[in-house]
């Protein structure tokens, strides 16, 4: 479902831990990166996101809320 897509997580997630979120992406065939680049498909933005969100906006990376992310990985 997420094959070929790369995700970056930033901020605190409320529905699950960051490790659980990474596992959901990997199970669905996607990749998880620690930093934002032109190759990033989506950034998942939780509470208090920080500089990764700023970088994603600069690069035009699609930003997902936690609820949008949950819909994508279901």
């Amino acid at each position: 479902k997420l094959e070929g897509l790369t995700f970056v997580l930033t901020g605190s997630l409320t529905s699950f831990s960051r490790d659980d979120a990474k596992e959901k992406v990997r199970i669905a065939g996607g990749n998880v990166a620690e930093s934002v680049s032109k190759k990033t498909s989506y950034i998942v933005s939780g509470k208090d996101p920080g500089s990764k969100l700023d970088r994603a906006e600069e690069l035009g990376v699609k930003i997902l809320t936690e609820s949008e992310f949950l819909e994508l990985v279901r």
Side-chain angles (χ1 to χ4, degrees):
K1 183 175 176 179
L2 303 180
E3 194 168 328
L5 299 177
T6 301
F7 290 77
V8 173
L9 307 171
T10 186
S12 302
L13 303 174
T14 58
S15 301
F16 38 78
S17 71
R18 189 177 292 246
D19 285 340
D20 287 344
K22 289 177 182 180
E23 187 65 18
K24 287 181 185 296
V25 169
R26 290 184 182 117
I27 287 171
N31 298 307
V32 179
E34 295 301 319
S35 61
V36 180
S37 73
K38 291 182 209 173
K39 295 181 181 182
T40 304
S41 307
Y42 295 99
I43 186 167
V44 180
S45 179
K47 184 178 178 186
D48 301 322
S51 63
K52 289 180 186 176
L53 182 61
D54 296 335
R55 181 73 175 139
E57 289 172 343
E58 286 174 17
L59 294 174
V61 173
K62 172 78 173 145
I63 299 165
L64 298 176
T65 64
E66 188 171 344
S67 59
E68 289 171 326
F69 173 71
L70 283 171
E71 288 296 318
L72 194 61
V73 297
R74 285 188 188 178

